[in-house]
Amino acid sequence: MSRLRIGITTGRQLQDDEWPEFMIDQTPTAYARCIRSIGYLPILIPISGHQNLAQDYIANLDGLIISGGCDINPLIYGEEPRMALSTSDYVRDQWEIALFQAAQKAQLPVLGICRGFQLINVLLGGTLYQDMSEISQQEVSLVQHIKNGSRFIYPQHTIQIKESSILYNLMNKCIEVQVNSYHHQAIKKLGAGLEAVAFSADGLIEAFEQISAEPNPPLLGVQWHPELLAIHQKNMLKLFTWFELFK
Ligand code: MN
C-alpha cells in the first residue's frame, strides 16, 4: 500500500527588505516529522502567487494540512483591521484560499491547525476575534492562550471534547485533554456547516468538525498545535491518523 501523501502549507520570512530574492519558505519541522512518524509522506507546499497551480497540488495529495502562522487579513471576513491585529501576508492568504477551494472541489480531507483552523472558519462565513483583548473581561474569565517564552511542547490549558465527535475517538475517548496554546486570535462566529467539538474553560472554540461528512469533504480544525505537543505527548500523533478515515 502506498503512503498517504499529505500536503503541508508553509509560511515565509523576508530576511531583508532590501533583498527580496532571499525570501525563505519555511514551516516548523514538527509538521513533517509527525506525518512521517505515522507512516505518511509529508509534502511541503511553498506559497505561490499562481493560484491556478492549487488544483495541480491537490490532484497529487491524499490530504491537506493548512498550518499555523501569521494573522489572516480581516478584510476576508468583512472587518476593518483593529489596532491589535498582528502581521498578515496577503499572498499567503490568497494561496491558501485557492488550495482550500481546490481541496473542497476534489473532496480532499483538510486539517486546519491554528491559523489554518481560523482560515477554514472564515472561508465558511465565520469571523474571528482579531485579538482576545476584544473579549470583555467582565463577560468571561479568560484563560491564558498565549505566553511568549513558554515551551509549546508542553500543555498549557485544558479543553473539553464532545463525546459524539471524531476528535473524541482520536483522543482515545478522553473528554478532558490538556493542550498547548499559542494564539492571540479566536473564533467569534463559527462558519457554516461546522460543529464546535472542543472548548477551553472560558468557552472559546478549540476544535471543529464538518457537521456531515457526506456529501461534503471532511474538515477538522484545531486551535492548538498537536504537531508540537506530539514531541512531548506521543498520543497527540493519533490526531493525524484522521486522514486514514477517508482513504
Ligand atoms: Mn488555546
Side-chain angles (χ1 to χ4, degrees):
M1 190 187 72
S2 61
R3 293 172 184 273
L4 287 189
R5 302 156 299 170
I6 306 298
I8 301 165
T9 66
T10 59
R12 57 186 182 169
Q13 188 171 43
L14 187 58
Q15 283 213 313
D16 184 335
D17 290 339
E18 299 296 312
W19 299 89
E21 59 269 43
F22 288 124
M23 190 182 282
I24 294 171
D25 295 303
Q26 61 178 21
T27 197
T29 57
Y31 291 104
R33 191 188 304 133
C34 277
I35 291 303
R36 261 195 315 267
S37 66
I38 55 172
Y40 303 166
L41 189 67
I43 298 170
L44 301 186
I45 305 175
I47 293 172
S48 172
H50 301 279
Q51 284 137 28
N52 58 326
L53 293 179
Q55 62 184 15
D56 293 345
Y57 278 104
I58 295 303
N60 286 288
L61 296 173
D62 300 299
L64 176 69
I65 294 175
I66 304 181
S67 62
C70 57
D71 286 359
I72 295 161
N73 189 324
L75 293 176
I76 291 170
Y77 48 95
E79 284 189 11
E80 295 298 320
R82 293 173 185 256
M83 294 307 290
L85 183 74
S86 190
T87 309
S88 60
D89 181 337
Y90 183 86
V91 180
R92 180 174 181 182
D93 286 343
Q94 297 307 312
W95 175 238
E96 289 185 340
I97 289 170
L99 285 170
F100 178 72
Q101 289 172 344
Q104 291 280 97
K105 208 171 161 190
Q107 300 283 310
L108 198 79
V110 180
L111 168 62
I113 294 177
C114 199
R115 168 193 155 86
F117 158 90
Q118 296 169 355
L119 186 70
I120 292 169
N121 182 60
V122 302
L123 294 182
L124 296 175
T127 61
L128 303 176
Y129 294 106
Q130 291 185 30
D131 186 89
M132 275 181 272
S133 61
E134 287 179 42
I135 307 170
S136 164
Q137 296 284 347
Q138 277 74 46
E139 286 176 29
V140 286
S141 173
L142 269 180
V143 168
Q144 188 185 67
H145 290 273
I146 188 164
K147 179 75 172 176
N148 287 318
S150 295
R151 294 291 310 278
F152 300 107
I153 62 171
Y154 302 123
Q156 172 145 348
H157 66 70
T158 58
I159 57 170
Q160 301 286 327
I161 299 176
K162 281 191 187 170
E163 279 185 65
S164 54
S165 64
I166 296 173
L167 180 67
Y168 172 74
N169 286 313
L170 292 171
M171 294 290 99
N172 293 321
K173 300 192 189 304
C174 291
I175 290 173
E176 186 171 290
V177 172
Q178 296 182 341
V179 298
N180 55 3
S181 194
Y182 188 48
H183 57 108
H184 79 108
Q185 299 195 306
I187 287 182
K188 184 156 55 178
K189 178 188 156 208
L190 189 62
L194 299 176
E195 181 187 4
V197 295
F199 298 87
S200 48
D202 51 11
L204 290 177
I205 298 170
E206 285 273 340
F208 59 66
E209 294 173 0
Q210 182 81 262
I211 283 174
S212 120
E214 292 289 338
N216 301 313
L219 298 173
L220 173 63
V222 297
Q223 180 62 83
W224 71 95
H225 282 275
E227 80 288 359
L228 296 176
L229 199 52
I231 295 169
H232 176 67
Q233 293 178 201
K234 293 295 171 211
N235 62 341
M236 210 37 82
L237 282 176
K238 197 176 168 195
L239 187 141
F240 294 91
T241 65
W242 174 76
F243 287 107
E244 281 173 41
L245 303 174
F246 312 104
K247 65 181 178 186

